[in-house]
C-alpha cells in the first residue's frame, strides 16, 4: 500500500481539527471513529472483509503503514472473525495522539504548546496546509450537493463523519440541517463504511455491552435469562512515546 494517498483515519482527523482553536471536535467519539476508519482502510487495501457483522482477515500481509499493520496483526491473532462493534469498542490507547503525531511528522499539522488554566501543559495542532483540509471537505460537499454517488473512500469518510458526530461541526446550525441529513444518507453508498459506521454508533449507544439472546424455548416466554460476558475486545496499543507523541492533547 503506497503512501501517496492519505488514509481514511488521517482524513477523518483532519476533518475534526478546528482551524481556529487547534483542538479536535468530538474527541471521545473520534477515537472510536479512528478505530473504525482503520478497518475501512484495511478493507480497501484487500486485507480484511466483512463477514456478516464480523470482520475477517483475508490477506495478512503488511500494508506498509505501521499503525494499520499493528491493527491488522491484532485482528489476525484473534484467529476468527471478530464483531466490528467489539473491535471498535475495545480500548483505544493513544490512537488519536498517534495519528496527530504522524500528521505532524508528515508536515500536515504543527504542534503548538500551551497551557490550560495557566498551569497544565497542553498541545494544540494547527493545519499547516489548509488546501489539504479544503480538498477533503470539498469532496464531502460535492457528494452532498450533487447527489452523485461518491467513490468508496469518500462514502466511507462521510459515514464515519456522521457516526462520530462531525456533522454539526462541519455543517452547524439550522442552515446546515439539510446538509447533515444528506451526510447521514451517504452511509448507504459503501457497505463496509456503513457496517463500521453503524458499529461506531452502536458502541456509543452501549450496544457493544449487550449480550445476544437466542430464541425462547417452545412453549415458554422469553425472559431476561442469565447475562453473558461480551467478547473481549482489543484495540491498537499505545506505541512507545517519541518526541511529540508524549505531549498531551487539549480537547
Amino acid at each position: 500500500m503506497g503512501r501517496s494517498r492519505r488514509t481514511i483515519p488521517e482524513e477523518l482527523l483532519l476533518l475534526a481539527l478546528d482551524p481556529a482553536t487547534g483542538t479536535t471536535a468530538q474527541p471521545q467519539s473520534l477515537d472510536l471513529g479512528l478505530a473504525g476508519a482503520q478497518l475501512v482502510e484495511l478493507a480497501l487495501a484487500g486485507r480484511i472483509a466483512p463477514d456478516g457483522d464480523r470482520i475477517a482477515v483475508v490477506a495478512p500481509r503488511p500494508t506498509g503503514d505501521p499503525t494499520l499493520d499493528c491493527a491488522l496483526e491484532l485482528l489476525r491473532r484473534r484467529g476468527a472473525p471478530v464483531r466490528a462493534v467489539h473491535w471498535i469498542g475495545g480500548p483505544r490507547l493513544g490512537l488519536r495522539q498517534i495519528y496527530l503525531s504522524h500528521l505532524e511528522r508528515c508536515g500536515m499539522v504543527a504542534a503548538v504548546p500551551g497551557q490550560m488554566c495557566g498551569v497544565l501543559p497542553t498541545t494544540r495542532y494547527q493545519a499547516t496546509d489548509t488546501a489539504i483540509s479544503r480538498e477533503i471537505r470539498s469532496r464531502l460537499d460535492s457528494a452532498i450537493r450533487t447527489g452523485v454517488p461518491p467513490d468508496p473512500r469518500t462514502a466511507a469518510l462521510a459515514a464515519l463523519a456522521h457516526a462520530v458526530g462531525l456533522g454539526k461541526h462541519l455543517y452547524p446550525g439550522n442552515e446546515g440541517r439539510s446538509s447533515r441529513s444528506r451526510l447521514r444518507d451517504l452511509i448507504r453508498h459503501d457497505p463496509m463504511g456503513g457496517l463500521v459506521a453503524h458499529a461506531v454508533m452502536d458502541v456509543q449507544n452501549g450496544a457493544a455491552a449487550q449480550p445476544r439472546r437466542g430464541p425462547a424455548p417452545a412453549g415458554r416466554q422469553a425472559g431476561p435469562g442469565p447475562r453473558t460476558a461480551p467478547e473481549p475486545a482489543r484495540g491498537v496499543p499505545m506505541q512507545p512515546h517519541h518526541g511529540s507523541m508524549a505531549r498531551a492533547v487539549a480537547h
Side-chain angles (χ1 to χ4, degrees):
M1 176 179 165
R3 293 299 296 132
S4 60
R5 185 196 297 271
R6 292 183 302 273
T7 66
I8 294 176
E10 293 164 6
E11 292 196 330
L12 183 65
L13 186 51
L14 286 171
L15 272 181
L17 272 180
D18 188 317
T21 65
T23 59
T24 53
Q26 305 298 110
Q28 293 181 340
S29 57
L30 182 61
D31 289 344
L32 302 176
L34 289 172
Q38 288 187 314
L39 294 181
V40 176
E41 192 66 47
L42 287 170
L44 289 172
R47 302 311 197 266
I48 64 175
D51 182 5
D53 66 345
R54 296 173 181 264
I55 303 298
V57 175
V58 295
R61 66 183 185 279
T63 66
D65 181 303
T67 309
L68 290 176
D69 288 341
C70 182
L72 179 62
E73 175 61 15
L74 289 173
L75 285 166
R76 185 194 66 80
R77 289 178 185 174
R78 296 298 293 267
V82 57
R83 288 188 67 202
V85 70
H86 285 154
W87 174 263
I88 291 170
R92 305 269 78 87
L93 300 180
L95 190 57
R96 181 159 33 104
Q97 181 59 50
I98 287 171
Y99 273 107
L100 281 169
S101 298
H102 168 73
L103 291 177
E104 183 188 9
R105 289 193 299 271
C106 292
M108 285 188 273
V109 302
V112 181
Q115 289 184 330
M116 180 182 297
C117 302
V119 179
L120 299 175
T122 62
T123 303
R124 300 174 186 270
Y125 291 84
Q126 298 288 347
T128 56
D129 188 350
T130 56
I132 294 176
S133 297
R134 287 198 303 269
E135 183 273 329
I136 299 170
R137 174 69 179 270
S138 177
R139 282 163 40 210
L140 289 185
D141 290 345
S142 178
I144 287 172
R145 183 179 63 256
T146 65
V148 176
D151 63 273
R153 301 185 72 84
T154 302
L157 181 63
L160 287 162
H162 165 71
V164 302
L166 287 184
K168 58 187 177 183
H169 167 71
L170 300 171
Y171 307 103
N174 288 333
E175 65 275 13
R177 183 177 301 172
S178 62
S179 293
R180 293 195 298 270
S181 177
R182 288 193 289 270
L183 179 71
R184 178 196 62 216
D185 292 343
L186 291 176
I187 201 170
R188 70 182 187 274
H189 290 295
D190 180 62
M192 183 65 180
L195 167 66
V196 170
H198 282 298
V200 169
M201 290 184 284
D202 284 346
V203 172
Q204 294 180 78
N205 293 330
Q210 297 299 320
R212 287 187 166 186
R213 298 181 185 178
R220 295 182 59 187
Q221 184 177 2
R227 293 183 61 86
T228 57
E231 178 182 346
R234 299 179 187 174
V236 176
M238 170 64 95
Q239 296 180 359
H241 286 175
H242 297 294
S244 62
M245 292 178 65
R247 291 192 290 267
V249 184
H251 296 334

